[in-house]
Amino acid sequence: MLAHSSTRRSRLLAATTLIAATGVTVLAPAAAFADTAPTAGPTPAAVAPAAAAPTAKADENAAKPLAATLETAPGQAPITRGGEGATMKLTVTNNSDQEQQYHPAISVTPLGTAPSSWSWIEFTAKEISGAEASYGIRTFGTDGFAGYVLPKNGMMSRTFTVPARTTYSWSVTVQVRAALPVDNTAVKLTLLNDRDNSTNSAPIDLAVAAPTEALFQHFSPSDGTIKFDQPWETDLSLLNNGAATASPITPTLRYPVTGADLKLDLQQPNGTWTTVAGSNNTWQLPPVIAGIGKGESYHYRLRFSLDSLTGTGMFFSGWLSLLPNTDQGPIDVAEGALVKVDGYRATPTPRPEPTPTATTPAPTTTPTDTPSTAPTGTPTTTPTTAPTTPRPDATTTAAAPVTVPTTTPSATAGAKVVAAGYNSGNRAGTTTTTTATGATGTTLASTGAGDSVAMVGTAGALVLLGSGAVLYAKRRRTRPQG
């Protein structure tokens, strides 16, 4: 019996050693450990090392060269929506003998309902000691918000270089706005470093005070372009994340851009549009008569059109926003809408030409209409266009001169009158000018014969000479022989 009991104890001791070595949890019947009650004496050697072994996480942290901490100011009070927020101190120490790259960020996670607007939080950062000039930038992703601390003017991926055995510190500020849903009584701040070469302090729960006045504006879409032939529509939501209001709220909308006049139409519940009166791109929207309940919102459907350009430019850009003051408390206007105005016309609207008067010079183009009545004076020569083939009995080689009618044609006084004729290029000595009656100083077009008349004269002379030669030869043939 004694030998059997000893064998059973040996088996239990071996099983205990195996569990401790492998880290596997085993559920065993209570009767199996009936003979393993603690007894006086030292702890078995196989069990003691397992209880004293460091965790894998501790080993991992011990191997990291940087140690980073984020701490709030002593006695930090709950932050309020739209208030100054909380300012904390970020510190990193390089405990190694080599310089290290550090890329810090702070994740802020609401502990209640997630915000539907990106502008529920503000994040800033500034260097305190050691680090170069720094700033904070907000980023958003599927996991929520993260504020990065970066070297000034640096891109998102740029890191700080921490020299060996050196400490850097920064001041970081977190503010929440009215867009944070009302059921969030705290936010969690977690220190991050995507270089994964630092130990990080534990997360901080930062208390958020219950909201009182928390009206907030939201545009969807929050950007657009307005043209003469392209209006822009958006939904404006007035959200109440504070206490319920039962009194009317009268919001005022403004687009602070001069040089372009916009027209605002408001969609009615039946789908029709009505124009909202305004001036200087400022409009008072219809009041919310019954107020807005806690956590509720009121919506306006707006349509903007470009009415006219009043400045010298054609392109403008500005933030469309409600004015912050209302009869029921301020509106958090952090999230406006970026609206651009494009006044360029692909087909400009033609402008009417001024009507000529008696004192206004008429257009300089040549009239194409034939005078309604013939001149009373009869030209003494043939038309100004010389014939292409001269008559055989012509007796001169000079071109016939052009005679301009001396009577006034049926044209408006002051208009140019062009006599019919061939223009040879305004060569010197070939231009004849005259002035119609009642048209002082008006110059006619060139009407000279030019080189073409000289060529016609030469051709006529050659024809006459040829005819004379033919007659002479015929006379000699017909003369009797002596």
Side-chain angles (χ1 to χ4, degrees):
M1 182 67 182
L2 184 59
H4 178 72
S5 178
S6 176
T7 302
R8 185 177 179 184
R9 262 193 204 95
S10 300
R11 291 176 181 174
L12 290 174
L13 182 59
T16 303
T17 304
L18 179 62
I19 292 172
T22 59
V24 178
T25 301
V26 179
L27 297 179
F33 300 94
D35 294 339
T36 60
T39 58
T43 303
V47 178
T55 63
K57 185 66 176 178
D59 290 340
E60 180 183 351
N61 288 337
K64 294 183 177 180
L66 300 178
T69 59
L70 179 67
E71 54 185 344
T72 60
Q76 174 66 55
I79 60 176
T80 59
R81 291 166 174 81
E84 295 181 354
T87 299
M88 295 156 286
K89 184 178 182 181
L90 169 62
T91 304
V92 62
T93 300
N94 183 2
N95 297 312
S96 71
D97 294 328
Q98 297 178 349
E99 65 178 25
Q100 301 291 332
Q101 302 301 312
Y102 185 51
H103 196 221
I106 299 175
S107 171
V108 184
T109 307
L111 297 182
T113 304
S116 59
S117 171
W118 60 267
S119 57
W120 65 274
I121 186 170
E122 295 286 348
F123 179 82
T124 58
K126 186 178 181 180
E127 72 284 354
I128 296 179
S129 64
E132 59 186 290
S134 309
Y135 77 113
I137 187 171
R138 299 181 302 178
T139 62
F140 298 87
T142 56
D143 296 333
F145 167 84
Y148 275 86
V149 181
L150 301 170
K152 199 163 188 178
N153 301 324
M155 301 297 289
M156 187 74 68
S157 60
R158 187 176 173 189
T159 61
F160 291 96
T161 301
V162 185
R165 309 296 176 180
T166 302
T167 298
Y168 282 179
S169 61
W170 298 266
S171 171
V172 295
T173 301
V174 173
Q175 298 169 283
V176 294
R177 308 193 70 93
L180 179 66
V182 66
D183 63 343
N184 282 277
T185 59
V187 292
K188 177 178 287 186
L189 282 64
T190 305
L191 183 58
L192 305 173
N193 173 23
D194 58 13
R195 302 289 292 189
D196 198 27
N197 60 348
S198 66
T199 59
N200 300 316
S201 58
I204 299 172
D205 286 348
L206 187 61
V208 179
T212 53
E213 297 175 346
L215 295 175
F216 184 79
Q217 70 173 3
H218 175 69
F219 292 88
S220 179
S222 59
D223 65 284
T225 301
I226 304 172
K227 301 181 180 180
F228 276 110
D229 56 350
Q230 176 184 303
W232 175 70
E233 296 183 15
T234 184
D235 283 317
L236 169 60
S237 300
L238 188 57
L239 176 67
N240 182 12
N241 274 335
T245 60
S247 301
I249 303 173
T250 306
T252 302
L253 188 63
R254 183 168 183 260
Y255 183 61
V257 169
T258 58
D261 284 341
L262 302 184
K263 175 187 175 184
L264 172 61
D265 295 319
L266 178 68
Q267 190 176 49
Q268 302 298 322
N270 61 2
T272 61
W273 295 89
T274 57
T275 300
V276 180
S279 62
N280 299 324
N281 290 339
T282 302
W283 307 268
Q284 182 172 298
L285 299 178
V288 185
I289 301 298
I292 305 176
K294 181 179 180 180
E296 296 179 352
S297 59
Y298 190 86
H299 301 272
Y300 297 93
R301 182 66 180 178
L302 309 175
R303 181 178 67 191
F304 292 88
S305 305
L306 178 55
D307 189 54
S308 63
L309 296 177
T310 59
T312 57
M314 290 192 301
F315 301 96
F316 306 92
S317 179
W319 286 94
L320 178 70
S321 174
L322 293 174
L323 296 183
N325 297 323
T326 68
D327 43 10
Q328 294 299 316
I331 299 177
D332 190 330
V333 295
E335 184 181 348
L338 181 59
V339 179
K340 291 169 283 186
V341 174
D342 182 355
Y344 173 76
R345 289 182 185 267
T347 55
T349 303
R351 297 181 179 178
E353 296 292 338
T355 303
T357 62
T359 58
T360 303
T364 58
T365 56
T366 303
T368 57
D369 296 334
T370 305
S372 58
T373 58
T376 56
T378 304
T380 59
T381 60
T382 58
T384 58
T385 304
T388 56
T389 304
R391 293 177 299 177
D393 57 349
T395 59
T396 179
T397 61
V402 177
T403 301
V404 179
T406 59
T407 58
T408 304
S410 59
T412 305
K416 282 190 175 182
V417 179
V418 180
Y422 179 81
N423 189 345
S424 61
N426 293 331
R427 289 176 59 89
T430 64
T431 301
T432 304
T433 62
T434 187
T435 303
T437 303
T440 303
T442 304
T443 304
L444 296 178
S446 173
T447 57
D451 294 339
S452 299
V453 174
M455 293 177 63
V456 170
T458 303
L462 292 175
V463 170
L464 291 176
L465 291 174
S467 299
V470 171
L471 291 175
Y472 176 76
K474 182 177 181 180
R475 185 176 297 176
R476 289 196 60 179
R477 286 196 301 270
T478 56
R479 179 181 302 176
Q481 300 293 328

